[in-house]
Amino acid sequence: MSHLDSIAVRITDLPALRRVAEKQFGAIWEQDKKKFNWYGAYVGDTKMPENLKGIEPGTCEHVIRLPGVRYEVGVVKLKDGSYTLAHDYYSHASAGHDGHRLVEKFGPGLKKLAAAYSTEKMVSWVKSKGFLVNQKPLANNRTEISITGIV
Amino acid sequence: MKTIKVIVEEDGSLSVDMLGFKGNECDKLRDEIAKEMGIVTKSIKKPEYFQEVKRTAQVKV
C-alpha cells in the first residue's frame, strides 16, 4: 500500500481483554460485577472523561481486580456498544485508598492494559486469517507486529 | 513480499503500514483491520497507492 493508518482501538472483544488481564497481569476477572471499588464519590477534582459522561460513576459490566488491591478497574459499556476501562488512581495510605497500585500495574491511564489488549486482538485477527505473525517488543512499551503470508 | 507492519503504541492505539502492495489492492485488508480494531483517525496515501497495477488478460477468439 499505499496507506499509513492510525487507528484508535475500541474494546469489543471481552474474552481477549479477559485473557490479557489474567495471563499478563495476574488479575482476576469478576464477570457481571456491576460496581467497582473506587473513592466512592465524584468530587470534581479531575475532569470526567468525555466517554463516561452520562454513566453513573462506579458502575460497570464487569470488574478487573488485582489480588490484594482494594481499588478495581471497571469495564464500562459505552453507547456505541464498545467498552472502556474506568478506574480511580486516588491514594491515601491511612484510609485504604490504593488507586496507585492499579497505576503501578496497568500504567498511567491503564495504558499497559490497553496496549496489551490491542496486541492480543490484532494477533488474534491475524491468526484467524491464516497469515503469519511475528511480534517483538520495542522501546517505551510499544510492540511491533509483522504480518506476512498474504496472498 | 506483501507485509503489514503494525506498531501498537504505548496507549494501545495502532499505526498500520502496508508494504509491497500496489494501487488499491490493499483496501480490502485495510478495511477489515479498521472494522476489527477501531476507528481510523488518520490516513495517508503513500506514492505506491497511485501506481497502476499491471494486469494481463487472455482473450479467446
Side-chain angles (χ1 to χ4, degrees):
Chain A
M1 175 160 155
S2 25
H3 282 96
L4 277 172
D5 288 332
S6 298
I7 297 177
V9 174
R10 294 161 70 234
I11 297 173
T12 54
D13 186 343
L14 293 185
L17 179 63
R18 180 175 183 163
R19 275 198 303 278
V20 294
E22 291 178 341
K23 290 182 182 170
Q24 292 186 34
F25 296 92
I28 296 158
W29 180 273
E30 304 253 22
Q31 183 74 21
D32 298 323
K33 188 178 174 193
K34 302 296 184 189
K35 289 189 176 180
F36 65 95
N37 283 332
W38 64 301
Y39 182 74
Y42 180 60
V43 294
D45 58 338
T46 55
K47 193 178 174 189
M48 178 72 75
E50 220 34 63
N51 58 1
L52 289 178
K53 284 182 178 171
I55 296 172
E56 189 185 337
T59 63
C60 56
E61 298 300 313
H62 314 287
V63 164
I64 297 170
R65 178 168 68 81
L66 287 173
V69 180
R70 197 172 78 79
Y71 274 31
E72 297 168 325
V73 176
V75 181
V76 179
K77 193 167 190 175
L78 301 173
K79 287 173 188 165
D80 66 0
S82 68
Y83 295 84
T84 191
L85 303 172
H87 76 299
D88 185 355
Y89 56 82
Y90 178 67
S91 292
H92 193 293
S94 62
H97 298 289
D98 56 4
H100 69 287
R101 296 188 63 192
L102 296 177
V103 177
E104 284 170 4
K105 191 74 173 179
F106 297 124
L110 309 180
K111 284 179 185 173
K112 285 184 186 174
L113 181 56
Y117 167 80
S118 297
T119 302
E120 175 79 8
K121 179 72 175 161
M122 192 72 233
V123 169
S124 173
W125 176 80
V126 173
K127 288 179 178 171
S128 76
K129 298 293 291 181
F131 300 148
L132 303 173
V133 63
N134 185 45
Q135 67 183 87
K136 68 174 180 187
L138 303 176
N140 302 320
N141 292 316
R142 297 158 74 232
T143 302
E144 181 183 288
I145 301 171
S146 293
I147 306 163
T148 54
I150 304 161
V151 289
Chain B
M1 182 172 65
K2 292 174 185 170
T3 303
I4 304 173
K5 193 150 280 190
V6 179
I7 304 293
V8 180
E9 304 289 352
E10 189 184 8
D11 63 356
S13 63
L14 306 178
S15 299
V16 182
D17 191 0
M18 303 182 85
L19 309 164
F21 293 83
K22 293 267 190 302
N24 61 1
E25 62 180 357
C26 60
D27 280 350
K28 186 169 173 265
L29 275 178
R30 176 181 173 260
D31 290 347
E32 273 190 51
I33 291 172
K35 187 179 173 191
E36 186 76 9
M37 299 301 297
I39 300 163
V40 176
T41 55
K42 189 177 174 186
S43 185
I44 299 168
K45 285 179 181 168
K46 292 162 62 180
E48 299 94 299
Y49 188 83
F50 302 101
Q51 286 182 7
E52 195 177 328
V53 180
K54 286 183 182 170
R55 297 182 196 282
T56 55
Q58 284 187 326
V59 181
K60 282 185 180 176
V61 181

